[in-house]
Amino acid sequence: MTKLNTTMDIFQLLDKSNCKKCNKPTCLAFAAAVFNGQKDLSECPHLSDDIIKAYGKKTPANDKTGDQEREQAIAQLKKQVAAIDFSSAAKRLEIPLSGNKLTIRCLGKDFSVDTEGNVTTDIHVHPWIMVPVFNYIIDGAGIPPAGKWVPFRELEGGKTWYRLFGQRCEKPLKHIADTYTDLFEDMIRLFNGREVEDYYDADISLVLHPLPKVPLLICYWKPDDGLESNLNLFFDSTAEENLNIESLYTLGVGLVNMFEKLSLRHGFRRDL
């Protein structure tokens, strides 16, 4: 059976009619319920038997292998963090060091990491941000952004990752933006998104800072005169000098998960 990795993976299988026959207000709500193990795909009356057979019950809620792998990766990264010189890391990255804690600004929020790899922050700590933060501290070169935006595929390591990045990051973010355009822009601004005037002539052009020297540009074009909407993510050309390609990909997937949860929490109220 094919594995479904996110709510949006499940959403892609549905007809998006919001028929409510599954007892959920929208197809996106149903997809979230399936992702969390509260519903089964077979409860959608519009899915064919072939689709149900192909995907079955293989969802993240009942497949713990990925979670276990992430926990093991985080444990290894914590050991590497514990082995580095924090004073040197603070100078290299130009971030504050107070006592035994380095503090990194992530999406407008402070993340403090101590010499044992323990993270302190006011918001929920998820593996999608812990892995990039640890790798940033361990290997980041502290290179200032060049101000040159490039798509993921033009990064050196992106040549082998860009198709997956498009499927797991850009495509699901586009669906969220299509469904809740105003809310989508609000969510970006919530995380200190900074507007870029007329960049690529996009309707929405906002820069986020998932990590201090790893900015991310989100460009969204609304549907117009028979043309479909479009969404692209761009990184600074220096991105791989401060963060490895897998962690850049992880940041993208994490943003998708974060936006999914926020849209599920706040967006449905506009549909009811």
Side-chain angles (χ1 to χ4, degrees), residues 189-242:
R189 295 185 186 281
L190 176 66
F191 293 99
N192 287 0
R194 177 175 56 83
E195 189 169 1
V196 179
E197 293 292 337
D198 299 325
Y199 202 85
Y200 289 130
D201 294 323
D203 295 301
I204 298 175
S205 297
L206 292 166
V207 176
L208 290 174
H209 282 81
L211 290 168
K213 296 183 179 181
V214 186
L216 172 66
L217 172 63
I218 301 177
C219 290
Y220 175 67
W221 292 262
K222 300 176 183 178
D224 182 47
D225 292 334
L227 297 175
E228 292 186 5
S229 63
N230 192 22
L231 183 145
N232 291 118
L233 300 178
F234 300 89
F235 290 90
D236 191 85
S237 59
T238 62
E240 279 187 282
E241 297 184 68
N242 291 315

Side-chain angles (χ1 to χ4, degrees), residues 182-193:
D182 292 340
L183 177 62
F184 179 73
E185 189 168 6
D186 290 343
M187 287 190 293
I188 296 175
R189 295 185 186 281
L190 176 66
F191 293 99
N192 287 0

